[in-house]
């Protein structure tokens, strides 16, 4: 079993900042990549940012480039999302995603956190 625990969501004014954290625990053998997705009310889930565990390569949704930064601590199996210059359209439930294996010969599997709500409003 793999558990993902997210924290850091909340209410923030436009232009403000928040930092999300997601810690993976349990019987995971290796993590290949970690990412954040979000889903706003009435909209489909979308990819926000991702980072590989090897070389640390990052990928971002165009609308968050320059405002959000994803980082990871491999020693803690934790991924962070630093969000700055937040806009009302960033309001959504943010969910952590981890792609990893339970053993050396296991297939890669996606694991998901419960989600944390980020509300950007004055």
């Amino acid at each position: 079993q793999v558990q993902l625990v997210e924290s850091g969501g909340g209410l923030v004014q436009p232009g403000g900042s928040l930092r999300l954290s997601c810690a993976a625990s349990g019987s995971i053998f290796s993590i290949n990549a970690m990412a954040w997705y979000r889903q706003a009310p009435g909209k489909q889930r979308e990819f926000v940012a991702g980072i590989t565990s090897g070389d640390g390569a990052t990928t971002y949704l165009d609308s968050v480039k320059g405002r959000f930064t994803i980082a990871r601590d491999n020693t803690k199996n934790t991924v962070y999302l630093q969000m700055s210059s937040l806009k009302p359209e960033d309001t959504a439930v943010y969910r952590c995603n981890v792609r990893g294996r339970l053993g050396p010969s296991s297939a890669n599997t996606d694991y998901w956190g419960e989600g944390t709500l980020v509300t950007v409003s004055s």
Side-chain angles (χ1 to χ4, degrees):
Q1 282 285 67
V2 177
Q3 296 83 38
L4 302 182
V5 179
E6 298 138 331
S7 61
L11 173 64
V12 64
Q13 292 187 341
S17 299
L18 280 176
R19 189 176 86 149
L20 306 182
S21 299
C22 172
S25 62
S27 55
I28 192 163
F29 173 74
S30 65
I31 293 176
N32 293 332
M34 306 177 89
W36 290 94
Y37 288 73
R38 69 185 182 188
Q39 186 166 17
K43 295 186 177 181
Q44 291 191 338
R45 183 176 65 197
E46 64 180 353
F47 171 87
V48 176
I51 185 167
T52 61
S53 294
D55 59 5
T58 57
T59 310
Y60 294 95
L61 178 68
D62 282 348
S63 62
V64 308
K65 285 181 181 177
R67 300 189 298 121
F68 291 9
T69 301
I70 189 170
R72 90 277 191 236
D73 184 337
N74 289 342
T75 65
K76 298 179 179 179
N77 285 344
T78 299
V79 63
Y80 306 95
L81 185 66
Q82 178 67 48
M83 305 184 293
S84 303
S85 302
L86 283 161
K87 304 175 181 180
E89 51 264 42
D90 293 319
T91 295
V93 173
Y94 286 71
R95 294 184 73 187
C96 172
N97 167 266
V98 169
R99 178 165 295 177
R101 296 183 293 162
L102 297 181
S105 59
S106 300
N108 278 318
T109 302
D110 283 319
Y111 301 95
W112 293 91
E114 295 278 329
T116 184
L117 177 62
V118 172
T119 304
V120 185
S121 175
S122 55

